Every structure is written in structure tokens, then in C-alpha cells.
Amino acid sequence: DGRGDFSAGKVVVVSATPAVAPKGSSKAARQAPQPSEAPPEQLRTLDSTTMFDSVGFLWAFVTAALGFKPFRHEGKLTGLAARGDAKKTLPIFDSVMGLAQDEGA
């Protein structure tokens, strides 16, 4: 995402926050939103995934393992996948990158 936090995905909650009225303004002016101004919003992160745990990073690893340039030639693998046989390649993939049940979940 270019922010330098290595985050590949986030689950956030958007909540409206009350606008802060300038000192000396009336109570009615503080409560009534101005039509031209949208109320400020606040984002709170509930969960996030690092780029190292992302599907994109996994796809880059597979690209490199097959001899192509990672982060550049993933589209070539997509095209080659249409010609492949999952019955032959899935056991190999599972032995290298298989999923395991998280006992803490």
C-alpha cells in the first residue's frame, strides 16, 4: 500500500466522530452540521494481515520457485495454470505450502 507498514489487508470500522466547535460558538451551532462539511470519520483497525502472510507474497514465492521473476511474472503462471493438471501438482504444493489447523483458534 506504500505506507511502509507492510500491511497487505486490514479490517476496519468507520465511525463518525463529533465535530469540535470553535470556542465561543453557540450550542446550536456546535450541534448542527454545516451542509458543505461532511462529518469527520475515524478508522479503527480490527485486524490486519502483513504482506508476508498475503496471497500475493505466496504467489510471488511460487513464481520464484518455478524460475520466473517474482512480483513481475505472476501473470505468466496464471496463463500456464489453464494448461496444468491439479491432480499432479496439488500434492507437491501441499507438501511445500500446505495449510495447518491453528490450535489456538
Side-chain angles (χ1 to χ4, degrees):
D1 61 14
R3 290 182 293 185
D5 62 356
F6 300 106
S7 180
K10 290 184 180 182
V11 177
V12 297
V13 173
V14 179
S15 61
T17 58
V20 177
K23 289 186 177 188
S25 61
S26 69
K27 184 177 179 181
R30 285 193 302 262
Q31 290 177 347
Q34 299 299 321
S36 62
E37 297 176 13
E41 294 177 342
Q42 186 176 29
L43 298 178
R44 185 169 55 98
T45 302
L46 298 178
D47 198 6
S48 66
T49 302
T50 68
M51 68 179 235
F52 305 107
D53 295 325
S54 71
V55 175
F57 206 75
L58 169 64
W59 201 237
F61 173 79
V62 171
T63 302
L66 293 174
F68 294 95
K69 284 187 175 185
F71 304 108
R72 178 169 283 185
H73 292 157
E74 286 78 9
K76 291 180 181 182
L77 296 186
T78 303
L80 291 170
R83 306 288 299 169
D85 183 0
K87 293 176 187 170
K88 294 179 182 177
T89 57
L90 190 57
I92 298 167
F93 187 79
D94 279 340
S95 70
V96 176
M97 300 298 293
L99 298 175
Q101 179 67 37
D102 184 7
E103 299 299 326

